[in-house]
Amino acid sequence: MSLVELRHVSKSYGEGAGAVHALRDVSVSFDAGALVAIMGPSGSGKSTLLTIAGSLEEPTSGEVLVDGVCVSEMSRDAKARLRRRSIGYVFQDYNLLPGLTAVENVALPLELDGVPRKRARSAAMEALEALGVSGRAACFPDELSGGERQRVSIARAVVGDRRVLLTDEPTGALDSANGEAVMGLIRGACRRGVAGVMVTHDRQLASWADDVVLLRDGRIVGPTPPDAPPAPERAR
Amino acid sequence: MSAAQARRPVAGEAGGGGMAARRAIIGWAVRLVRRDQRQQLLALILLTVAVGATVVGAAVAVNTPSKAATTGTFGTANHIISLPGDDPSLSADLAAIKHRLGTIDVIEIRKIATGSAQPVVLQAEDPHGAYGRPMLALVAGRYPTGPDQVAVTGQVATLFDLHLGGAWRASGRSLRVVGRVENPQNLEDAFALVAPGQIISPSQVLVLVRATRSAIDAIDLPAGAAVASAPSPAGGLSPTAIVLALATFGMLFIGLVAVAGFMVIAQRRLRALGMLAAFGATDRHLRLVMIADGVVVGVVAALAGTGVGLAAWAFVVPVLQRSSGHRVVWSDLPWGLVLAAAVLAVVTAAAAAWWPARTVARIPIIAALSGHPGYHRPTRRFAVPGILLLTAGLGFLALAGAGNGSPPLLVVGILGITSGTMFLAPLAITGAAALCSRAPLATRLALRDLARYRSRSGAALAAIFVAIEIAAIVAIGFTARYSNPVDLTGPNLAANELVLYNAPANRDGGVPDTTSITGQDIQRAVRSLGASIHAAVVPLDLAVAPAAPSFGGVKQTAGLYQVTGNRYESAGQVYVATPQLLAHYGINPREIGATADVITSRAGLGTVSNLQLDPYGEGCPTAADCAFAAPKVQVLNRLPGFVDEPNLLITEHAMQALHLHAVPAAWLIKTRRALTPAQINAARQTAITLGGIIDTRGSTPTLSQLRNEAAAAGILLALGVLAMTVGLIRSETAGDLRTLTATGATTTTRRTLTGVTAGALALLGALLGTGAAYLVAIGWFHKTLSTTIDQVPVTDLLLILVGLPAVAFAGGYLLAGREPATVSHQPLE
Ligand SMILES: Nc1ncnc2c1ncn2[C@@H]1O[C@H](COP(=O)(O)OP(=O)(O)OP(=O)(O)O)[C@@H](O)[C@H]1O
Ligand SMILES: [Mg+2]
């Protein structure tokens, strides 16, 4: 069953002649337990696709369904709830909140959801442990290295029972060893039943995915299997 | 779908996450307050000062009104029954009163001659009496208990050179001074206290009671008895209400400045707030971050302000005690109002944070994440409501100015014009940016950024504009007020002048029918005073009509009035233009027109219509036969201009025409330098022996002083707002700067950018502020425009319109050198 489904989604910025069509009539769905890689040249609309799937942005036309429910019909609060409860998002530049320690950053979505502080913290510690950064739990973001920040933000994206994990170039700033480690984590989350989506430029990393979606000028130009292992399951 | 564990549904009902979520958000917000300390400083300082000023203001307002006529006379009683001292059945009468009314407090009084104008009262009273206790306090020594003991007030001790333990011969008895006392409710009260029953033949017996008037009237009192009632609490606005209203207005303005500050902070946190939203925070959570910040600032300001205010009040107490004439106790302040000020500060800060909170919560998440300040509605949209508000404000002001100046209408009018201008402020910014589209790079970039970050610069501009508007309204308003030629305002006398009036009535333009002291004695005493303090002495005469009726033993003198319907507005004291007085001011009698009735230094008086020179003062037998309409007014600049100086003189010509004669009434005493306390005291002593009074320079400031103070306060406030916002606006666009530097721009470019940003905001604020102030003035004074607005306060306007932008530019230019340091930390947010 598809957890997130985009139906005929278009997105354009601006109006008239100067309008930029970031996405044109994109239909794609992401299933539980599968990892989909999104690839394409710079400016092809990859990040836009991800933010729309994560309900961070509204499509200009078309609809987004999460668990069969149309997102555009949800209230702002319901969407916020969706984001803190079901969708984990890892940004290209690993956005952590300044002023909060690593563990507080990870616990934040849970606390926002009303989980008592203590339980939220222990869940956050678990997630950090799983990612091997529990030793840096009490550090503030500006005291962490790039790789550590990335891992903390992945921990925040998977903490709780998230069912969708959206990552935008999660390994962009990491060396290959760290990149592989992060990919292992994402892969592991998918194995537990999470629907994973990953934007990447790296064919090597794309090979971790079950399926690859190729974007060009805001259009899906077809799923191209990466060089290495063939996709076991199709994403669309 | 693979993992089919029992999980929560993905989409579900909306909701905030309850207390736990709020606690997490507030915890984070409080940490952010510490991070963004510098940005909060101005709001914090202003609120602290406001709370402090309210505390001091409230304390002063409550403790300033004289208590001499209330608790200073009645103590805790509500009536005083006065019995004649020679009442043959005094003790029976007292017993009867006691029987009917219960508790009574008896004070026996006897006046003793002192040889000076002020009599001293010998007073027999129980220091622990039921009602009189608040009127008596021991300063030193003890209360008199025995037959030959006395305690005196400071004045009596000075007058008779008495010391504790010394002896005093008074009214044929020898008394030993055992204590120093005072009436804490009226420190002017001069008396000598003896033990109850120690006055053999009192001239008067006062019985303090607490009873209803009807209960007192039911008692059969002896002939010559009188009943005085304590004044009921004054109607109208209480001083605390006025202070509270002022504090509310002050906080309103500070709230505006704080909005600018919080807007900057909200923009700084934009990316963090975007992230928070991306992790699933609701709009309410996002607003909470900012509002919590406001509450923290408010609470800190409330606590600090209360502390500062209470400390400052401690310093004011002794000063106030001297000026108010009663003992002032530190703890005697309106605690309710102090609490209200603190609460008001918290509410103001929270409310000021609310608008920026709302604004950032509405910015799309992706825009917030990229630090984009959101999308603006086109500024044209604001023009129509802005102009409507301006027009409505003008209308209200015109209504207020046409009637008797109803304060609510005035306030609504000013608010209308202020908010209307605020709506037009964004338009002014975009307009300025458009105007400068061909300017050199730095200027163009600075203005474009102002327009681009309008939510931030708009709030700053609004705060600057209101500061300037208030200053300009004060400057224009005072100019208009001070330029009213009929109702003169301003300082009463110069610092080197005093006026000695022969009798208190002379001061109010009256002449007592009988005087015990002859004119020659007065003249001699005043001349010797003049000689002893090295002062010039100029006699001032009032003009009296022989037929003028007298009221209460006082004859009214000739006066100048502006008559509107049946309302008579006095133009103030009119003295006789004696040759001596003219000579003192270097005026040759021939300079005075042969037909001039009045000469004056007030420039505007010559053009005032419906003036009447009334030989009988306000004591006209019938209106028809005393009005001397349209007197001829001649303006002579050499005459002095202060309120109590002889600035309005009746000429010899008018004296003859109206059959008036000159009566010596007062003396202008003029030293070369400012009068010393010793000189003033010498004059006061002379006045006492003559039964007269003196007047010295009061505290009313001159117009230019007031205007300059208002302008300076407005400019300082505006600069404060600028300092807070400009640095931030520039540091937010630090990326541009780095790119600029990389492409070869010099430090001068960076400095110019900041300087122009500050200068442009200052200039726009100054223009809008003075513009709005003039609109207010035009609306209010529309009927008398020619005489009120024609005097433009040029210096102040120059200071505001040129000085402020120049200082802002220079400050921005000089301080811009430090910017990159603060920039390095930005990217993480
Ligand atoms: N807020 C915006 N306003 C205008 N145009 C935008 C905006 N956001 C994105 N675009 C445009 O939409 C197009 C797609 O952008 P998007 O960020 O999705 O590209 P991308 O595939 O993620 O590129 P990259 O690999 O460089 O990150 C681009 O041409 C971009 O310029
Ligand atoms: Mg991208």
Side-chain angles (χ1 to χ4, degrees), chain A residues 42-43 45-48 92 168-169 199 201:
Chain A
S42 178
K46 305 183 295 293
S47 296
T48 307
Q92 204 162 348
D168 197 347
E169 304 196 31
V199 169
H201 285 290

Side-chain angles (χ1 to χ4, degrees), chain A residues 11-14 18-23 38-51 57 92 168-169 199-201 215 217-218, chain B residues 366-367 370 372 375:
Chain A
K11 176 76 183 177
S12 45
Y13 295 103
V20 177
H21 300 283
L23 290 178
I38 299 177
M39 297 189 71
S42 178
S44 56
K46 305 183 295 293
S47 296
T48 307
L49 177 71
L50 212 60
T51 53
E57 220 171 356
Q92 204 162 348
D168 197 347
E169 304 196 31
V199 169
T200 184
H201 285 290
L215 276 179
D217 292 335
Chain B
I366 293 299
S370 57
H372 192 283
Y375 303 97

